[in-house]
Amino acid sequence: MKKLLLSQILFLFIFVSHSFAQFDKPVLQFGVGLAQPFGDFKGDSYTILSPFPQNPTFQTTRIDTNLIANTYAAKTGYSLFGSGKINFDKYNIFRAVATVSYNSFNTFESSVSGNQVRVYYPNYVAVPITYNYTFTDLGVGLGLEIAPTAFTNVVSPYFGANITFNNFNGTVTRNTTYNDSVSASFSGFRIGATLNAGIEAKFSSQFGAAIGVKYDLGNLLLRSTANSSYSDVIQWGAANGNLNDAQGSYYSNISNDQSDPNYYRYTSKKKDINWGTVYIALNYYINGNKKPVKKK
């Protein structure tokens, strides 16, 4: 029985070593794409127009109270990424993939301008104000990829999935004509997953190209909310705010008019940070010009 078990282990070791110890077709891939948020991640607007009670003739532009609480109000942005791939078999069908990516949203939305009110008692003066909002992700991914017709060395579809480690950061900046420029930031580290599919074509022994689509589930694990902690309050001039993507409550003053210094409690719903990307990429085959070693 022991001899049979040892022989089976030896056979499995030889088979795996012969089939999966190739590692001779490393590929570097560099890509750029358009990133589109979905679900709770996207939003129509991160600002809101509201009348000023003391003077109904004024309209004030403020940060929408739904920002962070119910949505991250992200809009179309861009994606940059670089991947390293290594084959598990001599036909380059099964691959391990490591990826570093940077995604920036709200790229094509201009600043939102309006007015807020400053009190010079007994008068209320309209002050021009401008808001900018950015949301970014710096991610690292590890996964597997299958290219069923890669052995042709011409054209092949590919499919893959990665575990991703994401560092999200959102920043709102407020500017006025009184040289008052101040920001509020919130961030968080999350674990997610990426689904990837595309078509690659090889133009020469060393270069090729690919087009594809990715779908990111950015915060599957490690969601959290400040749970009414004043240490994580989201306020102007602070950069330590919580991402608040789980159910709970937190305090903030970024939706206030400038004349209101108070902090208000907001209820956060559980939110998904999901987005899709359409991309084009350049492939560089590191050993493309290397001649195979002839067996004696």
mmCIF file of all heavy atoms in Angstrom, residues 139-188:
data_model
loop_
_atom_site.group_PDB
_atom_site.id
_atom_site.type_symbol
_atom_site.label_atom_id
_atom_site.label_comp_id
_atom_site.label_asym_id
_atom_site.label_seq_id
_atom_site.Cartn_x
_atom_site.Cartn_y
_atom_site.Cartn_z
ATOM 1 N N GLY A 139 -4.708 49.711 -7.147
ATOM 2 C CA GLY A 139 -4.952 48.301 -6.877
ATOM 3 C C GLY A 139 -3.831 47.390 -7.322
ATOM 4 O O GLY A 139 -3.089 47.683 -8.260
ATOM 5 N N VAL A 140 -3.724 46.257 -6.624
ATOM 6 C CA VAL A 140 -2.796 45.180 -6.984
ATOM 7 C C VAL A 140 -3.614 43.901 -7.099
ATOM 8 O O VAL A 140 -4.443 43.604 -6.224
ATOM 9 C CB VAL A 140 -1.693 45.006 -5.928
ATOM 10 C CG1 VAL A 140 -0.811 43.799 -6.264
ATOM 11 C CG2 VAL A 140 -0.840 46.262 -5.827
ATOM 12 N N GLY A 141 -3.407 43.152 -8.181
ATOM 13 C CA GLY A 141 -4.182 41.940 -8.399
ATOM 14 C C GLY A 141 -3.308 40.730 -8.667
ATOM 15 O O GLY A 141 -2.238 40.842 -9.268
ATOM 16 N N LEU A 142 -3.767 39.560 -8.212
ATOM 17 C CA LEU A 142 -3.102 38.290 -8.462
ATOM 18 C C LEU A 142 -4.157 37.293 -8.935
ATOM 19 O O LEU A 142 -5.211 37.159 -8.299
ATOM 20 C CB LEU A 142 -2.429 37.763 -7.189
ATOM 21 C CG LEU A 142 -1.332 38.631 -6.582
ATOM 22 C CD1 LEU A 142 -0.907 38.062 -5.227
ATOM 23 C CD2 LEU A 142 -0.137 38.726 -7.509
ATOM 24 N N GLY A 143 -3.873 36.585 -10.056
ATOM 25 C CA GLY A 143 -4.893 35.676 -10.542
ATOM 26 C C GLY A 143 -4.406 34.734 -11.618
ATOM 27 O O GLY A 143 -3.200 34.551 -11.817
ATOM 28 N N LEU A 144 -5.374 34.134 -12.312
ATOM 29 C CA LEU A 144 -5.111 33.161 -13.362
ATOM 30 C C LEU A 144 -5.806 33.581 -14.653
ATOM 31 O O LEU A 144 -6.818 34.289 -14.623
ATOM 32 C CB LEU A 144 -5.607 31.780 -12.945
ATOM 33 C CG LEU A 144 -4.949 31.151 -11.715
ATOM 34 C CD1 LEU A 144 -5.672 29.868 -11.328
ATOM 35 C CD2 LEU A 144 -3.477 30.877 -11.969
ATOM 36 N N GLU A 145 -5.263 33.109 -15.769
ATOM 37 C CA GLU A 145 -5.815 33.445 -17.077
ATOM 38 C C GLU A 145 -5.731 32.228 -17.995
ATOM 39 O O GLU A 145 -4.781 31.441 -17.921
ATOM 40 C CB GLU A 145 -5.030 34.617 -17.669
ATOM 41 C CG GLU A 145 -5.590 35.190 -18.953
ATOM 42 C CD GLU A 145 -4.824 36.426 -19.375
ATOM 43 O OE1 GLU A 145 -5.134 37.516 -18.860
ATOM 44 O OE2 GLU A 145 -3.905 36.303 -20.213
ATOM 45 N N ILE A 146 -6.742 32.084 -18.866
ATOM 46 C CA ILE A 146 -6.769 30.996 -19.849
ATOM 47 C C ILE A 146 -6.904 31.599 -21.244
ATOM 48 O O ILE A 146 -7.786 32.422 -21.485
ATOM 49 C CB ILE A 146 -7.943 30.033 -19.588
ATOM 50 C CG1 ILE A 146 -7.809 29.391 -18.207
ATOM 51 C CG2 ILE A 146 -8.002 28.955 -20.659
ATOM 52 C CD1 ILE A 146 -8.991 28.537 -17.819
ATOM 53 N N ALA A 147 -6.007 31.194 -22.153
ATOM 54 C CA ALA A 147 -6.064 31.612 -23.561
ATOM 55 C C ALA A 147 -6.110 30.344 -24.409
ATOM 56 O O ALA A 147 -5.070 29.778 -24.751
ATOM 57 C CB ALA A 147 -4.862 32.468 -23.922
ATOM 58 N N PRO A 148 -7.301 29.842 -24.747
ATOM 59 C CA PRO A 148 -7.432 28.494 -25.329
ATOM 60 C C PRO A 148 -6.746 28.270 -26.669
ATOM 61 O O PRO A 148 -6.398 27.144 -27.002
ATOM 62 C CB PRO A 148 -8.949 28.317 -25.448
ATOM 63 C CG PRO A 148 -9.522 29.695 -25.412
ATOM 64 C CD PRO A 148 -8.608 30.495 -24.552
ATOM 65 N N THR A 149 -6.549 29.326 -27.459
ATOM 66 C CA THR A 149 -5.903 29.133 -28.764
ATOM 67 C C THR A 149 -4.555 29.860 -28.851
ATOM 68 O O THR A 149 -4.098 30.212 -29.937
ATOM 69 C CB THR A 149 -6.825 29.624 -29.902
ATOM 70 O OG1 THR A 149 -7.119 31.028 -29.714
ATOM 71 C CG2 THR A 149 -8.121 28.845 -29.931
ATOM 72 N N ALA A 150 -3.922 30.071 -27.696
ATOM 73 C CA ALA A 150 -2.631 30.766 -27.691
ATOM 74 C C ALA A 150 -1.556 29.986 -28.435
ATOM 75 O O ALA A 150 -0.570 30.566 -28.913
ATOM 76 C CB ALA A 150 -2.190 31.019 -26.250
ATOM 77 N N PHE A 151 -1.717 28.657 -28.559
ATOM 78 C CA PHE A 151 -0.713 27.832 -29.239
ATOM 79 C C PHE A 151 -0.573 28.192 -30.716
ATOM 80 O O PHE A 151 0.426 27.860 -31.345
ATOM 81 C CB PHE A 151 -1.076 26.348 -29.100
ATOM 82 C CG PHE A 151 -2.396 25.983 -29.713
ATOM 83 C CD1 PHE A 151 -2.469 25.605 -31.049
ATOM 84 C CD2 PHE A 151 -3.559 26.019 -28.968
ATOM 85 C CE1 PHE A 151 -3.683 25.278 -31.629
ATOM 86 C CE2 PHE A 151 -4.776 25.684 -29.535
ATOM 87 C CZ PHE A 151 -4.847 25.316 -30.872
ATOM 88 N N THR A 152 -1.561 28.900 -31.280
ATOM 89 C CA THR A 152 -1.467 29.297 -32.691
ATOM 90 C C THR A 152 -0.471 30.433 -32.898
ATOM 91 O O THR A 152 -0.030 30.682 -34.023
ATOM 92 C CB THR A 152 -2.837 29.757 -33.207
ATOM 93 O OG1 THR A 152 -3.258 30.936 -32.501
ATOM 94 C CG2 THR A 152 -3.879 28.655 -33.038
ATOM 95 N N ASN A 153 -0.161 31.176 -31.814
ATOM 96 C CA ASN A 153 0.743 32.329 -31.884
ATOM 97 C C ASN A 153 0.243 33.400 -32.854
ATOM 98 O O ASN A 153 1.045 34.152 -33.437
ATOM 99 C CB ASN A 153 2.154 31.903 -32.287
ATOM 100 C CG ASN A 153 2.886 31.235 -31.131
ATOM 101 O OD1 ASN A 153 2.754 31.660 -29.970
ATOM 102 N ND2 ASN A 153 3.623 30.196 -31.431
ATOM 103 N N VAL A 154 -1.079 33.456 -33.042
ATOM 104 C CA VAL A 154 -1.655 34.473 -33.921
ATOM 105 C C VAL A 154 -2.718 35.269 -33.163
ATOM 106 O O VAL A 154 -2.480 36.391 -32.730
ATOM 107 C CB VAL A 154 -2.261 33.842 -35.201
ATOM 108 C CG1 VAL A 154 -2.810 34.939 -36.110
ATOM 109 C CG2 VAL A 154 -1.212 33.029 -35.942
ATOM 110 N N VAL A 155 -3.897 34.711 -33.004
ATOM 111 C CA VAL A 155 -5.000 35.369 -32.320
ATOM 112 C C VAL A 155 -5.601 34.399 -31.309
ATOM 113 O O VAL A 155 -5.758 33.205 -31.606
ATOM 114 C CB VAL A 155 -6.092 35.839 -33.306
ATOM 115 C CG1 VAL A 155 -7.275 36.437 -32.559
ATOM 116 C CG2 VAL A 155 -5.524 36.852 -34.292
ATOM 117 N N SER A 156 -5.949 34.924 -30.121
ATOM 118 C CA SER A 156 -6.574 34.066 -29.125
ATOM 119 C C SER A 156 -7.451 34.892 -28.198
ATOM 120 O O SER A 156 -7.051 35.982 -27.760
ATOM 121 C CB SER A 156 -5.523 33.328 -28.292
ATOM 122 O OG SER A 156 -6.149 32.552 -27.278
ATOM 123 N N PRO A 157 -8.649 34.406 -27.879
ATOM 124 C CA PRO A 157 -9.406 35.018 -26.785
ATOM 125 C C PRO A 157 -8.769 34.616 -25.458
ATOM 126 O O PRO A 157 -8.033 33.620 -25.387
ATOM 127 C CB PRO A 157 -10.796 34.400 -26.938
ATOM 128 C CG PRO A 157 -10.549 33.086 -27.581
ATOM 129 C CD PRO A 157 -9.361 33.279 -28.487
ATOM 130 N N TYR A 158 -9.034 35.372 -24.411
ATOM 131 C CA TYR A 158 -8.536 34.995 -23.082
ATOM 132 C C TYR A 158 -9.569 35.390 -22.028
ATOM 133 O O TYR A 158 -10.358 36.307 -22.201
ATOM 134 C CB TYR A 158 -7.177 35.639 -22.788
ATOM 135 C CG TYR A 158 -7.145 37.139 -22.852
ATOM 136 C CD1 TYR A 158 -7.439 37.928 -21.728
ATOM 137 C CD2 TYR A 158 -6.800 37.793 -24.027
ATOM 138 C CE1 TYR A 158 -7.403 39.313 -21.789
ATOM 139 C CE2 TYR A 158 -6.762 39.171 -24.098
ATOM 140 C CZ TYR A 158 -7.053 39.924 -22.976
ATOM 141 O OH TYR A 158 -7.021 41.300 -23.039
ATOM 142 N N PHE A 159 -9.540 34.645 -20.934
ATOM 143 C CA PHE A 159 -10.463 34.865 -19.826
ATOM 144 C C PHE A 159 -9.680 34.723 -18.536
ATOM 145 O O PHE A 159 -8.819 33.842 -18.417
ATOM 146 C CB PHE A 159 -11.601 33.838 -19.849
ATOM 147 C CG PHE A 159 -12.203 33.620 -21.210
ATOM 148 C CD1 PHE A 159 -11.719 32.617 -22.052
ATOM 149 C CD2 PHE A 159 -13.234 34.430 -21.661
ATOM 150 C CE1 PHE A 159 -12.256 32.416 -23.305
ATOM 151 C CE2 PHE A 159 -13.786 34.242 -22.915
ATOM 152 C CZ PHE A 159 -13.293 33.232 -23.745
ATOM 153 N N GLY A 160 -9.977 35.567 -17.560
ATOM 154 C CA GLY A 160 -9.235 35.499 -16.321
ATOM 155 C C GLY A 160 -9.994 36.056 -15.130
ATOM 156 O O GLY A 160 -11.037 36.702 -15.279
ATOM 157 N N ALA A 161 -9.454 35.814 -13.946
ATOM 158 C CA ALA A 161 -10.022 36.336 -12.708
ATOM 159 C C ALA A 161 -8.891 36.615 -11.735
ATOM 160 O O ALA A 161 -7.919 35.836 -11.655
ATOM 161 C CB ALA A 161 -11.018 35.354 -12.108
ATOM 162 N N ASN A 162 -9.002 37.729 -11.019
ATOM 163 C CA ASN A 162 -7.979 38.140 -10.056
ATOM 164 C C ASN A 162 -8.585 38.399 -8.697
ATOM 165 O O ASN A 162 -9.734 38.843 -8.585
ATOM 166 C CB ASN A 162 -7.288 39.440 -10.497
ATOM 167 C CG ASN A 162 -6.434 39.269 -11.737
ATOM 168 O OD1 ASN A 162 -6.168 38.161 -12.163
ATOM 169 N ND2 ASN A 162 -6.017 40.380 -12.304
ATOM 170 N N ILE A 163 -7.809 38.167 -7.656
ATOM 171 C CA ILE A 163 -8.087 38.738 -6.344
ATOM 172 C C ILE A 163 -7.383 40.089 -6.313
ATOM 173 O O ILE A 163 -6.213 40.198 -6.689
ATOM 174 C CB ILE A 163 -7.563 37.841 -5.215
ATOM 175 C CG1 ILE A 163 -8.290 36.495 -5.227
ATOM 176 C CG2 ILE A 163 -7.729 38.517 -3.858
ATOM 177 C CD1 ILE A 163 -7.740 35.504 -4.231
ATOM 178 N N THR A 164 -8.084 41.145 -5.890
ATOM 179 C CA THR A 164 -7.506 42.487 -5.928
ATOM 180 C C THR A 164 -7.431 43.094 -4.531
ATOM 181 O O THR A 164 -8.293 42.848 -3.676
ATOM 182 C CB THR A 164 -8.328 43.414 -6.831
ATOM 183 O OG1 THR A 164 -9.698 43.405 -6.411
ATOM 184 C CG2 THR A 164 -8.250 42.953 -8.275
ATOM 185 N N PHE A 165 -6.417 43.901 -4.331
ATOM 186 C CA PHE A 165 -6.209 44.620 -3.077
ATOM 187 C C PHE A 165 -6.243 46.109 -3.424
ATOM 188 O O PHE A 165 -5.341 46.617 -4.105
ATOM 189 C CB PHE A 165 -4.876 44.223 -2.448
ATOM 190 C CG PHE A 165 -4.746 42.730 -2.256
ATOM 191 C CD1 PHE A 165 -4.196 41.927 -3.255
ATOM 192 C CD2 PHE A 165 -5.201 42.119 -1.095
ATOM 193 C CE1 PHE A 165 -4.086 40.554 -3.097
ATOM 194 C CE2 PHE A 165 -5.099 40.748 -0.920
ATOM 195 C CZ PHE A 165 -4.546 39.963 -1.921
ATOM 196 N N ASN A 166 -7.302 46.793 -2.984
ATOM 197 C CA ASN A 166 -7.585 48.153 -3.444
ATOM 198 C C ASN A 166 -7.443 49.172 -2.328
ATOM 199 O O ASN A 166 -7.914 48.955 -1.198
ATOM 200 C CB ASN A 166 -9.019 48.227 -3.989
ATOM 201 C CG ASN A 166 -9.235 47.305 -5.173
ATOM 202 O OD1 ASN A 166 -8.556 47.419 -6.183
ATOM 203 N ND2 ASN A 166 -10.179 46.387 -5.040
ATOM 204 N N ASN A 167 -6.839 50.294 -2.674
ATOM 205 C CA ASN A 167 -6.777 51.436 -1.766
ATOM 206 C C ASN A 167 -7.574 52.574 -2.404
ATOM 207 O O ASN A 167 -7.136 53.187 -3.375
ATOM 208 C CB ASN A 167 -5.333 51.869 -1.526
ATOM 209 C CG ASN A 167 -5.238 52.938 -0.460
ATOM 210 O OD1 ASN A 167 -5.917 52.877 0.553
ATOM 211 N ND2 ASN A 167 -4.395 53.930 -0.684
ATOM 212 N N PHE A 168 -8.774 52.834 -1.862
ATOM 213 C CA PHE A 168 -9.673 53.856 -2.403
ATOM 214 C C PHE A 168 -9.461 55.182 -1.683
ATOM 215 O O PHE A 168 -9.216 55.209 -0.470
ATOM 216 C CB PHE A 168 -11.127 53.430 -2.241
ATOM 217 C CG PHE A 168 -11.495 52.201 -3.014
ATOM 218 C CD1 PHE A 168 -11.746 50.999 -2.361
ATOM 219 C CD2 PHE A 168 -11.593 52.236 -4.396
ATOM 220 C CE1 PHE A 168 -12.093 49.871 -3.067
ATOM 221 C CE2 PHE A 168 -11.940 51.102 -5.115
ATOM 222 C CZ PHE A 168 -12.186 49.911 -4.453
ATOM 223 N N ASN A 169 -9.606 56.275 -2.440
ATOM 224 C CA ASN A 169 -9.492 57.608 -1.843
ATOM 225 C C ASN A 169 -10.417 58.581 -2.558
ATOM 226 O O ASN A 169 -10.406 58.674 -3.786
ATOM 227 C CB ASN A 169 -8.051 58.116 -1.932
ATOM 228 C CG ASN A 169 -7.891 59.476 -1.283
ATOM 229 O OD1 ASN A 169 -8.031 60.510 -1.935
ATOM 230 N ND2 ASN A 169 -7.602 59.497 0.002
ATOM 231 N N GLY A 170 -11.252 59.284 -1.785
ATOM 232 C CA GLY A 170 -12.107 60.334 -2.321
ATOM 233 C C GLY A 170 -11.738 61.673 -1.710
ATOM 234 O O GLY A 170 -11.485 61.758 -0.502
ATOM 235 N N THR A 171 -11.695 62.723 -2.528
ATOM 236 C CA THR A 171 -11.323 64.053 -2.056
ATOM 237 C C THR A 171 -12.252 65.100 -2.640
ATOM 238 O O THR A 171 -12.434 65.166 -3.863
ATOM 239 C CB THR A 171 -9.869 64.403 -2.445
ATOM 240 O OG1 THR A 171 -8.990 63.427 -1.889
ATOM 241 C CG2 THR A 171 -9.486 65.782 -1.907
ATOM 242 N N VAL A 172 -12.840 65.914 -1.758
ATOM 243 C CA VAL A 172 -13.665 67.049 -2.160
ATOM 244 C C VAL A 172 -12.894 68.320 -1.839
ATOM 245 O O VAL A 172 -12.384 68.478 -0.724
ATOM 246 C CB VAL A 172 -15.011 67.063 -1.420
ATOM 247 C CG1 VAL A 172 -15.885 68.205 -1.923
ATOM 248 C CG2 VAL A 172 -15.736 65.742 -1.590
ATOM 249 N N THR A 173 -12.795 69.231 -2.798
ATOM 250 C CA THR A 173 -12.084 70.502 -2.599
ATOM 251 C C THR A 173 -13.043 71.659 -2.819
ATOM 252 O O THR A 173 -13.814 71.661 -3.773
ATOM 253 C CB THR A 173 -10.898 70.625 -3.569
ATOM 254 O OG1 THR A 173 -10.021 69.519 -3.380
ATOM 255 C CG2 THR A 173 -10.120 71.911 -3.319
ATOM 256 N N ARG A 174 -12.966 72.645 -1.931
ATOM 257 C CA ARG A 174 -13.827 73.829 -1.998
ATOM 258 C C ARG A 174 -12.947 75.067 -2.181
ATOM 259 O O ARG A 174 -11.986 75.272 -1.454
ATOM 260 C CB ARG A 174 -14.628 73.954 -0.692
ATOM 261 C CG ARG A 174 -15.582 75.131 -0.640
ATOM 262 C CD ARG A 174 -16.201 75.238 0.751
ATOM 263 N NE ARG A 174 -15.218 75.658 1.738
ATOM 264 C CZ ARG A 174 -15.429 75.631 3.064
ATOM 265 N NH1 ARG A 174 -16.559 75.165 3.540
ATOM 266 N NH2 ARG A 174 -14.485 76.043 3.895
ATOM 267 N N ASN A 175 -13.292 75.887 -3.177
ATOM 268 C CA ASN A 175 -12.543 77.114 -3.449
ATOM 269 C C ASN A 175 -13.496 78.301 -3.492
ATOM 270 O O ASN A 175 -14.583 78.220 -4.073
ATOM 271 C CB ASN A 175 -11.825 77.025 -4.800
ATOM 272 C CG ASN A 175 -10.792 75.919 -4.833
ATOM 273 O OD1 ASN A 175 -9.688 76.074 -4.346
ATOM 274 N ND2 ASN A 175 -11.160 74.780 -5.411
ATOM 275 N N THR A 176 -13.078 79.431 -2.886
ATOM 276 C CA THR A 176 -13.857 80.658 -2.954
ATOM 277 C C THR A 176 -12.962 81.795 -3.420
ATOM 278 O O THR A 176 -11.741 81.663 -3.516
ATOM 279 C CB THR A 176 -14.455 81.032 -1.581
ATOM 280 O OG1 THR A 176 -13.393 81.448 -0.702
ATOM 281 C CG2 THR A 176 -15.193 79.870 -0.962
ATOM 282 N N THR A 177 -13.582 82.936 -3.704
ATOM 283 C CA THR A 177 -12.820 84.100 -4.173
ATOM 284 C C THR A 177 -12.005 84.743 -3.059
ATOM 285 O O THR A 177 -11.221 85.644 -3.309
ATOM 286 C CB THR A 177 -13.773 85.150 -4.757
ATOM 287 O OG1 THR A 177 -14.755 85.481 -3.758
ATOM 288 C CG2 THR A 177 -14.462 84.621 -5.989
ATOM 289 N N TYR A 178 -12.207 84.291 -1.820
ATOM 290 C CA TYR A 178 -11.440 84.835 -0.706
ATOM 291 C C TYR A 178 -10.186 84.017 -0.433
ATOM 292 O O TYR A 178 -9.677 83.978 0.681
ATOM 293 C CB TYR A 178 -12.307 84.879 0.559
ATOM 294 C CG TYR A 178 -13.406 85.914 0.499
ATOM 295 C CD1 TYR A 178 -14.665 85.576 0.015
ATOM 296 C CD2 TYR A 178 -13.175 87.229 0.903
ATOM 297 C CE1 TYR A 178 -15.677 86.526 -0.057
ATOM 298 C CE2 TYR A 178 -14.181 88.183 0.833
ATOM 299 C CZ TYR A 178 -15.428 87.826 0.358
ATOM 300 O OH TYR A 178 -16.419 88.770 0.281
ATOM 301 N N ASN A 179 -9.668 83.358 -1.486
ATOM 302 C CA ASN A 179 -8.481 82.510 -1.373
ATOM 303 C C ASN A 179 -8.658 81.421 -0.326
ATOM 304 O O ASN A 179 -7.705 81.002 0.326
ATOM 305 C CB ASN A 179 -7.235 83.349 -1.049
ATOM 306 C CG ASN A 179 -6.887 84.310 -2.162
ATOM 307 O OD1 ASN A 179 -6.975 83.957 -3.332
ATOM 308 N ND2 ASN A 179 -6.508 85.528 -1.804
ATOM 309 N N ASP A 180 -9.890 80.993 -0.157
ATOM 310 C CA ASP A 180 -10.206 79.933 0.784
ATOM 311 C C ASP A 180 -10.275 78.620 0.013
ATOM 312 O O ASP A 180 -11.265 78.330 -0.658
ATOM 313 C CB ASP A 180 -11.548 80.236 1.475
ATOM 314 C CG ASP A 180 -12.027 79.074 2.324
ATOM 315 O OD1 ASP A 180 -11.176 78.267 2.730
ATOM 316 O OD2 ASP A 180 -13.241 78.980 2.571
ATOM 317 N N SER A 181 -9.204 77.833 0.067
ATOM 318 C CA SER A 181 -9.165 76.536 -0.592
ATOM 319 C C SER A 181 -8.914 75.478 0.470
ATOM 320 O O SER A 181 -7.902 75.504 1.164
ATOM 321 C CB SER A 181 -8.053 76.499 -1.644
ATOM 322 O OG SER A 181 -8.011 75.241 -2.278
ATOM 323 N N VAL A 182 -9.859 74.557 0.611
ATOM 324 C CA VAL A 182 -9.756 73.554 1.656
ATOM 325 C C VAL A 182 -10.355 72.249 1.141
ATOM 326 O O VAL A 182 -11.244 72.258 0.288
ATOM 327 C CB VAL A 182 -10.487 74.027 2.941
ATOM 328 C CG1 VAL A 182 -11.974 74.201 2.685
ATOM 329 C CG2 VAL A 182 -10.231 73.074 4.103
ATOM 330 N N SER A 183 -9.823 71.120 1.620
ATOM 331 C CA SER A 183 -10.261 69.808 1.136
ATOM 332 C C SER A 183 -10.711 68.917 2.290
ATOM 333 O O SER A 183 -10.332 69.121 3.445
ATOM 334 C CB SER A 183 -9.125 69.102 0.383
ATOM 335 O OG SER A 183 -8.750 69.834 -0.761
ATOM 336 N N ALA A 184 -11.493 67.922 1.957
ATOM 337 C CA ALA A 184 -11.887 66.865 2.881
ATOM 338 C C ALA A 184 -11.705 65.533 2.165
ATOM 339 O O ALA A 184 -12.133 65.380 1.021
ATOM 340 C CB ALA A 184 -13.338 67.035 3.321
ATOM 341 N N SER A 185 -11.039 64.578 2.817
ATOM 342 C CA SER A 185 -10.735 63.301 2.177
ATOM 343 C C SER A 185 -11.247 62.137 3.010
ATOM 344 O O SER A 185 -11.336 62.213 4.236
ATOM 345 C CB SER A 185 -9.222 63.142 1.968
ATOM 346 O OG SER A 185 -8.720 64.130 1.091
ATOM 347 N N PHE A 186 -11.570 61.052 2.331
ATOM 348 C CA PHE A 186 -11.954 59.807 2.994
ATOM 349 C C PHE A 186 -11.350 58.658 2.206
ATOM 350 O O PHE A 186 -11.200 58.739 0.979
ATOM 351 C CB PHE A 186 -13.478 59.679 3.087
ATOM 352 C CG PHE A 186 -14.204 59.885 1.796
ATOM 353 C CD1 PHE A 186 -14.553 58.817 0.992
ATOM 354 C CD2 PHE A 186 -14.531 61.169 1.359
ATOM 355 C CE1 PHE A 186 -15.222 59.003 -0.207
ATOM 356 C CE2 PHE A 186 -15.212 61.373 0.164
ATOM 357 C CZ PHE A 186 -15.552 60.284 -0.623
ATOM 358 N N SER A 187 -10.979 57.591 2.880
ATOM 359 C CA SER A 187 -10.253 56.515 2.204
ATOM 360 C C SER A 187 -10.475 55.190 2.921
ATOM 361 O O SER A 187 -11.029 55.134 4.024
ATOM 362 C CB SER A 187 -8.755 56.841 2.146
ATOM 363 O OG SER A 187 -8.232 57.001 3.451
ATOM 364 N N GLY A 188 -10.011 54.102 2.289
ATOM 365 C CA GLY A 188 -10.114 52.782 2.886
ATOM 366 C C GLY A 188 -9.440 51.724 2.041
ATOM 367 O O GLY A 188 -9.361 51.845 0.812
#
